[in-house]
Amino acid sequence: MIRNKLKEQRTAFIVIFFVSLFLVLPQILNHSLILGDDSIFHFNRIYDVYMQFKTGNFNYFQSNYGFQQSGRIVNAVYGPGLAYVFGIILLAVHSWLKFQILTSFLIFFVSGYSMYFLSRAMNTNKKVSLLVSILFMSSFWITHWEVDQGFMAWGVMMMPLIVLMGLRMISKDAKDLKIIPLALVVSLIVQIHVLSALMAIIVLISFFVIGMIQTVHKRELLIKCSLAGLLAVVLTFNVWGAMLDVFTTNTLYSPFSVQNMSDWTANISMGEYDYGHLGLVMSLIFILQIIFMFSKKYTVSLANKVVTINGIIFLILSSNIIPWVKLAMNFPQLQSFLQFPYRFNGFAMVLLLAGFGASISNLSPKSLRKNLEIGLVIGCAFILFQSYSLIQNRNEFWNSSQPIVKNSGIYYSKHYSNDRLIKNLTSVHLGSGLKMIEKFPPDYLPEHLSGVDSAADRENVIYNNNDKSIKKTVENGSLIIRWTAKKKGEIRELPIIIYSNSVLSLNNHNITEKKMKLSSIGSPKVISDKKGENILKLEYHSNLTTNTRLVLVMVAWVISFMSMIVLYLRRIR
């Protein structure tokens, strides 16, 4: 039985594997690192995890190695699960270039397979399922990781599996819905990207409501979803527990606010394909699927109807049909939390592509179906060419006079040559290049002075990190800062970040915020209490997210994964 399953998947594996390889080929051939919009932000947090594994000095909250060893909290509240997976990958390959190639290949491959599974679950034939998978894996939202290091690409990658779980909710007997797979899929997307998880949960709720109306086993569906929800709460405790700990005890700077949200919408277009334009191929697919659904509403399957209607809703939300400017005036939090309405488009694409594949596979007459399949092949070739060209364009920066992608917002922390930057980012010392270039967004920094622009204080943290008289080391998960004072009572501004639950000791004596002057982002001015060497220890103590509880979460993940594997093997036998 297992052999038959593997044989059935052989063609899909080969096609998806080679398309993934094709999309990372420019980076392999050019031996180039892509420094896109979010590269330095994510490189810093991944490097922090890498160094934790390398040294054994673990700290779930503080960035003791990344972000200029500032003690800043990022990973604990931003995709911690995937950050630790990436840290392990970086530890294995020990190269930023290899890491970028491997993770780009991984996102292409997994996204292709996840869409293939979803398409087959919607009774799409194998050929069309593969074509839809190729469209998805070469779409802007998946290539967004390789070309810009946009982290939401990983959330979009998971969306087909979310929809697959939703389809099992609307089956008549609800027997296909399993508690552990549902809990694991939801938990994985929470561990990857919280905003994506919120959108995914909205989709699942719509499937659940329809399932409760559709199924004759309402009690069974309710019990299964409730138990899966409880298990997901356990499996994601490290995420929501850390958020509760940090967000309720601090006033934090939000990600930068988008002033005019209508400028960041996605709309139908016949030209280029990017975050603001659907492009010719995707526009035609979306329009055709909407036409199919409404013109054949009496013959279209329930699964296709639910998927397509959800897709239409997300498509509208991503567009300027919604009065985003007026909404932002009434709900200003949208400007910093959602920021870009085009983010809805990634989920609309998954839903409408899946629906389109199912519609083609069930069309009659056969000649029309064949013509649309040929059109789909041409569309795949077109999207692949566009994506390959974009990836190639990004790779060309590395070997030019300007290795940083244009308009990425990354800048040199002080004057360095391009040759030195390239040398450091390709050296075995993975942190050396990160000290040369900066992008210091305000995300998750504590706001100690209300209404004050933190940009200058962020610059000061970077500047003071270049002060060679200040030495930083990590001991038993604590950040140790050393400096030499010329006299007792000397005031020293230190390039670290203080949160409400941060614990500091100066020369083995605890000090409180009252004995320090904090900048707008929590970097302290400390009074040296003796002449000569002064030693400050920075720790973060959480009453909610303790090391013991984090270990229990990891044990729960291991047990859940092992249980799912055992159940799967039993089923296919």
Side-chain angles (χ1 to χ4, degrees), residues 355-542:
F356 184 66
S359 295
I360 289 180
S361 296
N362 293 285
L363 270 180
S364 59
K366 189 176 180 181
S367 58
L368 177 60
R369 185 168 69 248
K370 286 292 181 183
N371 288 334
L372 283 171
E373 286 178 0
I374 292 169
L376 202 54
V377 171
I378 295 170
C380 284
F382 191 72
I383 289 286
L384 272 172
F385 174 76
Q386 278 190 318
S387 298
Y388 187 92
S389 299
L390 176 62
I391 294 167
Q392 175 63 26
N393 173 267
R394 288 290 196 273
N395 278 278
E396 289 172 357
F397 280 95
W398 182 253
N399 296 312
S400 69
S401 59
Q402 173 59 16
I404 300 172
V405 172
K406 189 178 179 181
N407 298 325
S408 62
I410 301 170
Y411 60 91
Y412 291 102
S413 55
K414 62 180 183 178
H415 180 71
Y416 291 106
S417 68
N418 291 330
D419 289 340
R420 186 177 174 189
L421 173 64
I422 291 172
K423 182 180 178 181
N424 281 26
L425 281 172
T426 53
S427 75
V428 294
H429 303 290
L430 300 182
S432 58
L434 300 183
K435 295 176 181 178
M436 298 173 63
I437 48 180
E438 284 297 338
K439 188 172 183 179
F440 209 123
D443 308 37
Y444 316 120
L445 288 170
E447 184 179 359
H448 285 275
L449 297 175
S450 168
V452 175
D453 184 3
S454 67
D457 288 321
R458 283 181 272 148
E459 291 285 345
N460 281 336
V461 169
I462 295 169
Y463 173 79
N464 288 328
N465 265 302
N466 292 322
D467 187 347
K468 294 183 179 178
S469 67
I470 298 175
K471 307 294 182 184
K472 293 181 180 179
T473 55
V474 182
E475 298 176 9
N476 298 319
S478 302
L479 186 60
I480 311 297
I481 303 97
R482 291 181 170 86
W483 72 95
T484 302
K486 294 180 180 178
K487 61 179 181 179
K488 182 180 178 180
E490 180 181 276
I491 298 175
R492 197 60 179 265
E493 186 171 2
L494 301 178
I496 55 176
I497 307 298
I498 307 300
Y499 293 82
S500 292
N501 286 337
S502 296
V503 177
L504 294 93
S505 60
L506 177 62
N507 301 320
N508 296 320
H509 299 290
N510 287 345
I511 57 173
T512 63
E513 284 189 24
K514 295 179 180 179
K515 295 183 179 180
M516 299 176 287
K517 184 178 180 181
L518 299 177
S519 73
S520 64
I521 60 170
S523 55
K525 289 183 178 179
V526 178
I527 300 173
S528 307
D529 65 3
K530 67 176 182 177
K531 181 181 178 180
E533 186 181 60
N534 283 260
I535 302 173
L536 183 79
K537 180 192 287 187
L538 174 63
E539 300 173 297
Y540 187 92
H541 289 178
S542 170

Side-chain angles (χ1 to χ4, degrees), residues 7 11 14 23 67 85 109 111 127 147 182 206 248 262 329 355 418 441 510 513 540:
K7 188 177 180 180
T11 303
I14 292 170
L23 290 169
F67 297 102
V85 171
F109 187 81
S111 63
K127 185 195 297 183
V147 300
L182 175 59
S206 71
T248 58
S262 292
M329 290 174 63
N418 291 330
N510 287 345
E513 284 189 24
Y540 187 92

Side-chain angles (χ1 to χ4, degrees), residues 26-78:
Q27 208 164 359
I28 295 172
L29 296 176
N30 289 286
H31 299 283
S32 54
L33 194 64
I34 301 176
L35 298 178
D37 289 352
D38 297 325
S39 57
I40 299 307
F41 179 78
H42 293 303
F43 279 11
N44 268 282
R45 67 194 201 92
I46 293 161
Y47 174 72
D48 187 78
V49 176
Y50 158 84
M51 286 299 295
Q52 289 185 45
F53 279 112
K54 187 176 180 180
T55 63
N57 284 309
F58 289 94
N59 191 309
Y60 186 71
F61 285 92
Q62 289 180 188
S63 297
N64 287 338
Y65 298 99
F67 297 102
Q68 304 285 6
Q69 293 189 280
S70 60
R72 179 182 181 181
I73 295 175
V74 178
N75 279 334
V77 294
Y78 190 124

Side-chain angles (χ1 to χ4, degrees), residues 94-114:
H94 201 70
S95 160
W96 286 118
L97 176 57
K98 292 177 182 177
F99 168 82
Q100 211 170 55
I101 291 171
L102 184 58
T103 54
S104 295
F105 179 89
L106 185 65
I107 194 171
F108 291 134
F109 187 81
V110 174
S111 63
Y113 247 112
S114 63

